[in-house]
Structures are given as C-alpha cells and as structure tokens.
Amino acid sequence: MITREQTKRPDAATSWRYATLPIGIGAVAALVGALLLLVPVRTADAAARAFAAADTCAPGLPPRERAQCLSPEPATVERYGRGGRGDTYTYVEVVLGDGRTRHLDLQGAGFRVVPAQGDPVRLVSWRGEVRYVVYGSGAPRTAFTDADPHTAYAVPFGWGAFLLLFGPVLIWIGSWQRWLSHRSRRAAPWQVMVPCVTLGLLSVGVLTAALATDLRIGQLLRVCGAGLALAAVVIGAVWICKALRGESDTVEVEPRRDDREHVFIAHVLGDDTGFGPGPYLVVAPGVLAFSVDPTGAFRRAPLPSGLVLEQVRPVFASDPGAMELYGRYEPTYLVAQCRDGEREVLIAVPRKKMPWLVGALPKAERPAVPG
C-alpha cells in the first residue's frame, strides 16, 4: 500500500470541505430515489395490478362502481396519424355515439393495422380514462393509450432508479477523496473510475429504458437486475485483475518518428520552466518547441537541448494543475516526466500523441548498478 507521504498529495487526507459536497449530494440523491421507488412507483404498480384484475362492467352499475371496472364505449375512427416533432407519437381521433370527437394519444407504434376513416372501434375506460382501444373487424386487436396503467410507473421509476444508482457514485467519490486517496498517486485512479463509469452508464441505461420503452415493471426490473449483475462482474473482474497484476506507475509507450511535422496540444505542468506560453507542441526532425499557433508555424519556443525523458506515467494528483487538466474537454493525458539538469519538467500530452514526443526525446541514462 502507498503511504500518505509517498503520494505527495496536498490533499492526502482531504478535508471535509472537499468531501462533504459529493457525499451530501449523493446521499440526498439516493434518498430521493428511494422515496420515488417506495411511494409513486408502488402506487402505480398497485393501480396496474387493479387494472389487470378488473372485469367488464355489468349493465346498470352506478357511476362510482363503474369507475372500478372496464367500461367499453363504441366509436368510429375519424383520423389516424402521427404527431410531434419527428412524428414521435401516434394518435387517433374518434367520433363517439353522441357525436362528440375525442383525441387519444397511443403508445408505441399504435395500431398494427392502419384503420380507415369510419372503421368501428371500442374505447375501454377505467377510473374515468380511456386505457386502450379495441379495433379490427376479424380478430380484435388492442392498442393502449398513453394512460395505460401498466406503464404509469415509468417516469418515477426511471428517475428513482437513476438517482438511487447515481447517488452512491457521488458518495464513493467523496469517500475516496476523504479516506482512501492515499492508496493511489493517480489523479483518476481505476478504483474510482471503474465503479463510477460502470454505475453511471447503468443509471443512464435504466433511465433511458424506463422513459423510451413500453416495458412493464416486471420486465424492467429484470433488465435492472441483469444490469446490476453485469456491473458487479465488471467491477469484480477489474479489481481481481488489478490485484493480480499489480499497478505500475510507468506506462510503456513505443516511440514513433517520421519526416513530417506534428503539432498537438501539450501542457507543461506547473509552467515555471520558461519554455514559452504554448499550448501547442511542434515535433519534427530536429525540432521540439512550443508555439502559440495551432499550426506551429509562428513564435516557437524551443525546448532545452539537454531535456531528457525519464519515464512516461499517468497524471498524479500531486502534479501541479492536475485537476484543471482533467477538467479540459480533451482526451486522456499521459505525463512525460523529463529532466533538464537538476530541474524536473512534466509535460502532459494526449495519450495518442505521446509516441511522437517519446520519439523526439532522448532517454535519460540510468545509473549503473554496482557490480
């Protein structure tokens, strides 16, 4: 285990000022998610069960009792089509027996067989709302409306599951920073990234499945269970693999060289070297310089001729400006740990561009091991 002193972190024991925010937001998010699942989702599920158990209304029932059974009403199709931006939903307009017109939004693709104007249909109501439409002259078919009790759970379930899964992600980030950050020198250690990315993707997937599909609650619960099992397998597999292989601070990079000029983003961490403002690094045969020009053609500031490469490694939390580096909208960085005489120079470069920098820098000579 790496000690707190070895990490050289300014936040090796992160103060509560930095840990309270993610832990607090995560706890609130998880609590709200649990309440959504326990209250509105349970209410919607109870309504769906009652709807599934309801029978067709008997003749002569009073209105209060008719609300608890299935009440069919004949109608004829007036118009059928799609609406919304990009035809995102299907609707049908029907004429009732008393001449009134009613507009109904349907779930999914709507009618499997497109009806013609004047075709007879039956509107089946429950608790005062039309729940589905029965159509077809041969074998009757059913098209549910957007008031289908079986999918009324979707919005509270989707957001509740999202918050309940995403809340622990924030709690883990805050807990790692407060109590466990001394275990790794990296600014983005896998112990944080793997669980956070896995659970984050799962929470977004569950939210999308709940809002964008017409799955019943039992089907979606099975999807969630499979997702949680897969997330546990992924996290466990990575954890075991890392435990068996160990974690090295050196990244092996194969050097690349050619006759062309390459210009890419690079940052001198700490930026107290006097190499120039950058942030573009120009690499070419006999050229290694920073430039303010995206093409690298103007105002070049050459790197010192005595600069040598010691190793390529991940970004450490102790590196100056490490957190700002990860806040940029750019690819994953690696750090070329270099030396210019007695001075250490850290150059952060996108991972895909690091081979060109490694090919342009001479390697530092390792001290001879006494025989």
Side-chain angles (χ1 to χ4, degrees):
M1 180 186 300
I2 300 172
T3 65
R4 295 179 187 270
E5 291 74 17
Q6 287 175 319
T7 62
K8 300 181 181 178
R9 283 176 176 260
D11 60 342
T14 305
S15 67
W16 275 109
R17 182 177 60 177
Y18 298 104
T20 300
L21 185 61
I23 291 176
I25 294 177
V28 171
L31 178 60
V32 172
L35 290 176
L36 285 173
L37 294 178
L38 289 174
V39 181
V41 171
R42 291 185 65 182
T43 302
D45 184 48
R49 293 174 184 273
F51 173 70
D55 295 321
T56 303
C57 295
L61 286 177
R64 178 174 296 181
E65 293 185 19
R66 286 182 65 86
Q68 301 303 320
C69 56
L70 304 179
S71 177
E73 182 178 9
T76 56
V77 175
E78 176 69 18
R79 182 183 297 120
Y80 175 79
R82 291 183 175 275
R85 179 177 295 181
D87 295 337
T88 53
Y89 68 89
T90 307
Y91 70 90
V92 63
E93 292 182 359
V94 297
V95 179
L96 304 178
D98 58 5
R100 291 182 295 120
T101 300
R102 184 152 190 181
H103 177 98
L104 298 170
D105 292 332
L106 304 174
Q107 282 188 1
F111 291 173
R112 295 182 181 179
V113 179
V114 177
Q117 186 176 6
D119 283 357
V121 294
R122 279 185 298 139
L123 312 183
V124 179
S125 300
W126 182 71
R127 293 185 179 178
E129 293 190 65
V130 177
R131 306 297 180 168
Y132 61 90
V133 181
V134 180
Y135 66 98
S137 56
R141 297 174 181 268
T142 300
F144 284 94
T145 69
D146 61 356
D148 177 17
H150 292 115
T151 55
Y153 76 95
V155 173
F157 183 93
W159 286 109
F162 174 82
L163 294 173
L164 193 60
L165 289 170
F166 196 72
V169 170
L170 298 178
I171 294 173
W172 175 240
I173 292 174
S175 300
W176 175 271
Q177 290 295 330
R178 179 68 181 93
W179 293 292
L180 302 171
S181 59
H182 62 280
R183 293 175 177 268
S184 176
R185 291 189 286 183
R186 302 191 179 196
W190 65 266
Q191 293 94 331
V192 173
M193 298 303 295
V194 172
C196 290
V197 171
T198 304
L199 290 180
L201 291 176
L202 178 60
S203 63
V204 172
V206 171
L207 176 62
T208 303
L211 300 183
T213 67
D214 297 328
L215 295 176
R216 304 292 173 87
I217 189 168
Q219 296 171 315
L220 194 55
L221 284 173
R222 287 192 289 272
V223 171
C224 292
L228 284 171
L230 179 61
V233 169
V234 170
I235 295 173
V238 173
W239 215 284
I240 293 173
C241 181
K242 290 290 186 179
L244 294 176
R245 294 178 53 187
E247 188 174 28
S248 173
D249 287 335
T250 300
V251 178
E252 297 296 333
V253 176
E254 190 69 25
R256 297 185 65 182
R257 304 178 183 88
D258 60 19
D259 296 332
R260 297 164 50 198
E261 187 172 273
H262 300 271
V263 182
F264 46 85
I265 291 285
H267 304 279
V268 178
L269 302 184
D271 203 16
D272 58 352
T273 58
F275 293 162
Y280 300 99
L281 186 63
V282 184
V283 177
V287 178
L288 187 58
F290 275 100
S291 173
V292 295
D293 178 28
T295 66
F298 304 102
R299 296 183 61 185
R300 293 182 176 180
L303 273 70
S305 58
L307 192 69
V308 293
L309 176 66
E310 293 185 326
Q311 67 170 337
V312 177
R313 60 169 175 78
V315 181
F316 289 167
S318 58
D319 293 337
M323 294 299 104
E324 291 80 0
L325 189 67
Y326 271 90
R328 300 175 185 268
Y329 296 99
E330 292 172 0
T332 304
Y333 282 91
L334 292 176
V335 171
Q337 182 176 310
C338 307
R339 186 161 298 280
D340 177 29
E342 298 299 321
R343 180 174 55 179
E344 183 181 67
V345 180
L346 304 177
I347 305 175
V349 174
R351 179 183 290 270
K352 292 184 178 180
K353 301 298 183 181
M354 183 59 77
W356 299 108
L357 178 58
V358 173
L361 286 171
K363 289 189 176 181
E365 294 183 1
R366 295 185 179 182
V369 178

